[in-house]
Amino acid sequence: MKAIRCKAYGPPNSLILEEVENVTPKAKEVLVTVRACGLNFPDTLIIQGLYQIKPELPFTPGSDVAGVVKEVGEGVSHVKAGDEVFGFVAHGALAEEVIIPSNACFPKPSQMDFPIAASFMMAYGTSYHALKDRAKLKEGETLLVLGASGGVGLAAVELGKLMGARVIAAASSDEKLAICKKYGADELINYNTQDLKSKLKELTKGAGVNVVYDPVGGEYSEAALRATAWNGRFLVIGFAAGDIPKIPLNLPLLKGVAIVGVFWGGFAMRSPKENSQNTMTLMQWYAEGRLRPHIHAIYDLEDTSKALEEMMNRKVKGKLVIKIN
């Protein structure tokens, strides 16, 4: 089968497309013929050796996947050969076939096409786990989303609004903020042209925001933390800016703020039952038309490097998808 391979850590143009050996599912595994793979910002980090998870070289990147079951291993009963499914893996999805752990593989709703299904798990799974389980976001609270036009950011805007919050979206351009408005943001901040801290003070009349959703890191994290309300929750999602901020610990002390780590992949593997319940809720909302994943563009497998470069250059709004088979 064909697969994108990372043979040495480096930029997207160092990836190659080549033939690799076919794989066979073991117990509690599902072999899937891949139809689409959704790209996520961690994909740009893992190929550079900058992510928390460092697979042994060479490896195939890609986590968000949708396709058709080819074969199931022993002990798998919820899906069978021929079923359309979606799911996630630590890496390996940018290939014509992939092995998915059975507890991370779900039947695909018939009304959800493969590109949408491959755009769903990482973005919505992360954001719903963050807002529901980690922040315990309440109706009427104010939620600030940094990097609000990206894959997880836009999902957080949409989910925050659906969960009854007042949503403030922050992004780096008016064009990106326009799509955030479309997805339910109540207030917009362009942090390239506006001062984040003072604008948040103005928008909240000095009260501060209850929850910060931060997939960006870098220079905006401390400003957002300083703009939190008493008993606020600061969600650490990731570091798309490239810099891991060093936070003065007197700030959470003085504000009674909880700094909360969000690692959805770890949660999904450690708490599969709870993750499955979250997934079912998200599927129901999608079926009801309350969630609308935004796909920025669809690329062919051989153009994976170009797609990842576009993501690294901060040109993407919503999700990028690689079409396979």
Side-chain angles (χ1 to χ4, degrees):
M1 65 172 179
K2 291 178 182 176
I4 295 292
R5 300 292 279 169
C6 177
K7 295 195 166 184
Y9 292 130
N13 62 13
S14 66
L15 297 173
I16 63 169
L17 177 64
E18 68 176 10
E19 295 280 341
V20 297
E21 300 247 339
N22 288 87
V23 285
T24 304
K26 298 174 186 171
K28 296 188 177 178
E29 291 183 340
V30 181
L31 175 61
V32 172
T33 300
V34 181
R35 293 290 180 82
C37 175
L39 297 184
N40 298 283
F41 197 78
D43 295 323
T44 70
L45 300 176
I46 200 168
I47 63 173
Q48 298 177 81
L50 300 176
Y51 195 51
Q52 296 95 314
I53 298 168
K54 291 183 172 61
E56 184 179 337
L57 293 166
F59 70 93
T60 296
S63 297
D64 257 341
V65 61
V68 179
V69 176
K70 184 175 182 181
E71 187 181 345
V72 299
E74 185 183 349
V76 178
S77 58
H78 71 298
V79 295
K80 64 185 185 306
D83 286 354
E84 296 182 348
V85 295
F86 70 105
F88 65 95
V89 291
H91 54 87
L94 284 166
E96 291 182 322
E97 295 181 1
V98 67
I99 294 282
I100 306 179
S102 61
N103 62 9
C105 185
F106 302 90
K108 180 182 77 63
S110 57
Q111 72 271 29
M112 181 183 275
D113 65 23
F114 287 111
I116 290 289
S119 303
F120 206 85
M121 283 298 291
M122 188 76 75
Y124 286 95
T126 296
S127 295
Y128 191 49
H129 170 55
L131 299 178
K132 170 183 166 278
D133 302 321
R134 303 299 283 154
K136 297 184 174 14
L137 180 68
K138 301 179 188 68
E139 188 173 354
E141 289 192 315
T142 299
L143 166 68
L144 167 67
V145 181
L146 301 178
S149 66
V152 292
L154 204 55
V157 169
E158 193 175 16
L159 285 167
K161 191 65 180 172
L162 186 53
M163 294 165 75
R166 178 195 182 206
V167 180
I168 301 173
S172 60
S173 74
D174 291 340
E175 184 188 7
K176 290 178 177 179
L177 288 169
I179 195 164
C180 298
K181 186 72 174 175
K182 233 175 115 180
Y183 272 71
D186 297 287
E187 307 287 352
L188 308 172
I189 300 176
N190 182 335
Y191 42 54
N192 269 352
T193 59
Q194 297 171 297
D195 179 71
L196 181 63
K197 185 186 170 188
S198 60
K199 189 64 180 173
L200 287 170
K201 187 175 182 180
E202 174 193 326
L203 291 175
T204 63
K205 296 182 169 55
V209 299
N210 303 106
V211 176
V212 175
Y213 182 100
D214 183 9
V216 179
E219 62 181 304
Y220 301 116
S221 296
E222 186 175 327
L225 180 60
R226 287 180 181 275
T228 51
W230 176 255
N231 278 344
R233 288 86 76 201
F234 186 101
L235 299 171
V236 182
I237 310 296
F239 313 103
D243 297 321
I244 299 176
K246 295 174 175 57
I247 298 295
L249 288 180
N250 63 312
L251 295 178
L253 182 153
L254 292 170
K255 289 177 164 288
V257 170
I259 296 179
V260 185
V262 179
F263 182 22
W264 172 74
F267 161 74
M269 292 301 177
R270 292 168 184 264
S271 306
K273 185 178 177 184
E274 291 84 351
N275 181 60
S276 182
Q277 289 169 345
N278 283 358
T279 302
M280 292 306 105
T281 298
L282 293 168
M283 288 293 97
Q284 181 64 33
W285 284 343
Y286 175 81
E288 293 169 356
R290 301 168 82 183
L291 297 177
R292 301 165 296 130
H294 178 75
I295 296 179
H296 179 84
I298 298 176
Y299 285 81
D300 292 326
L301 185 61
E302 56 264 33
D303 293 324
T304 296
S305 294
K306 292 179 187 174
L308 288 169
E309 283 169 5
E310 188 173 16
M311 183 170 281
M312 288 181 72
N313 291 332
R314 309 290 195 275
K315 294 179 179 177
V316 178
K317 297 178 285 295
K319 296 283 290 187
L320 287 179
V321 175
I322 301 299
K323 182 180 66 175
I324 306 169
N325 293 313

